[in-house]
Amino acid sequence: VLHHFKERMNGLSEEDTVAEAKRCMSCGMCFECDNCVIFCPQDAVFRVRKNESTTGRYVDTDYTKCVGCHVCTDVCPTGYIQMGLGE
């Protein structure tokens, strides 16, 4: 910066910081949009009860019903779902 020493970057207040943090949709983890549950044509994807879930995992897949159509992957806004060959 030429010709002055004014502060160039002002931080956010605590209130503004909390408001900005609430805007975050995802850091690549499931945020319970339920798209995969809603759009799965085989009903293979289902919600996990809160007391059984872990961070970033609110849905599970019944691989006996899954036909590998990839609809869940296509409708996931976070990219969290990755299709593979199972276990």
Side-chain angles (χ1 to χ4, degrees):
V1 178
L2 301 174
H3 308 298
H4 68 81
F5 294 97
K6 293 180 182 175
E7 188 65 41
R8 298 287 295 167
M9 188 168 136
N10 298 320
L12 298 174
S13 68
E14 182 177 349
E15 181 180 315
D16 290 340
T17 302
V18 170
E20 286 297 312
K22 287 181 179 178
R23 289 181 46 210
C24 177
M25 295 299 288
S26 175
C27 56
M29 303 293 262
C30 176
F31 60 86
E32 302 180 78
C33 71
D34 285 345
N35 282 354
C36 56
V37 177
I38 294 165
F39 289 102
C40 178
Q42 305 299 321
D43 294 326
V45 183
F46 57 94
R47 293 188 52 69
V48 176
R49 284 186 245 146
K50 289 285 186 185
N51 61 350
E52 297 174 5
S53 66
T54 60
T55 303
R57 182 173 173 266
Y58 300 103
V59 296
D60 202 355
T61 305
D62 180 350
Y63 290 105
T64 62
K65 293 180 179 179
C66 179
V67 296
C69 67
H70 295 248
V71 170
C72 57
T73 304
D74 294 340
V75 298
C76 181
T78 68
Y80 180 68
I81 299 173
Q82 295 179 1
M83 294 297 293
L85 297 175
E87 299 176 340

